[in-house]
Amino acid sequence: LKNAKRRNHRRDMVYERKMVVEQEKEEEENPEFKGKEKFVTSAYKKELQERELWIKEEEDQRKKDELNDVTKNTKGGMAQF
């Protein structure tokens, strides 16, 4: 279940990046869209906050995994015990 959520988050992030690139391209092609005000719903703001929290948790987990990585352990064998 965690892996499914992780995949969904990453898929959504990729989709968002793709949409931003498309919007920027559209603004370049159509100057009448430049400088227009963009509206964001409260539900989307909540989703963005959840995404930021998820990214922070993923980064914390990655750092924790790096610290516990036995392949990068400088001391050999049972020296840590």
Side-chain angles (χ1 to χ4, degrees):
L1 191 60
K2 282 186 178 182
N3 287 334
K5 283 186 177 183
R6 183 177 295 131
R7 282 192 306 267
N8 285 337
H9 279 289
R10 289 183 178 161
R11 180 180 41 100
D12 290 343
M13 290 171 57
V14 168
Y15 178 75
E16 285 293 324
R17 280 188 238 135
K18 191 177 182 181
M19 292 302 296
V20 167
V21 169
E22 287 179 13
Q23 287 175 351
E24 289 173 353
K25 185 179 177 183
E26 193 171 298
E27 284 181 357
E28 289 176 7
E29 292 174 358
N30 301 317
E32 66 267 9
F33 293 133
K34 274 193 174 184
K36 291 261 182 164
E37 191 174 1
K38 295 178 177 122
F39 297 100
V40 179
T41 64
S42 59
Y44 184 65
K45 285 181 184 178
K46 183 179 176 185
E47 184 179 324
L48 290 176
Q49 289 175 342
E50 289 174 358
R51 185 177 299 152
E52 287 177 15
L53 178 64
W54 181 81
I55 290 171
K56 185 179 181 300
E57 289 173 355
E58 283 287 311
E59 183 66 24
D60 292 344
Q61 183 65 38
R62 187 187 60 78
K63 287 179 182 178
K64 184 178 171 185
D65 290 345
E66 282 181 6
L67 288 173
N68 295 331
D69 189 4
V70 294
T71 60
K72 295 179 182 176
N73 189 358
T74 57
K75 297 180 181 179
M78 299 291 283
Q80 289 181 348
F81 293 104

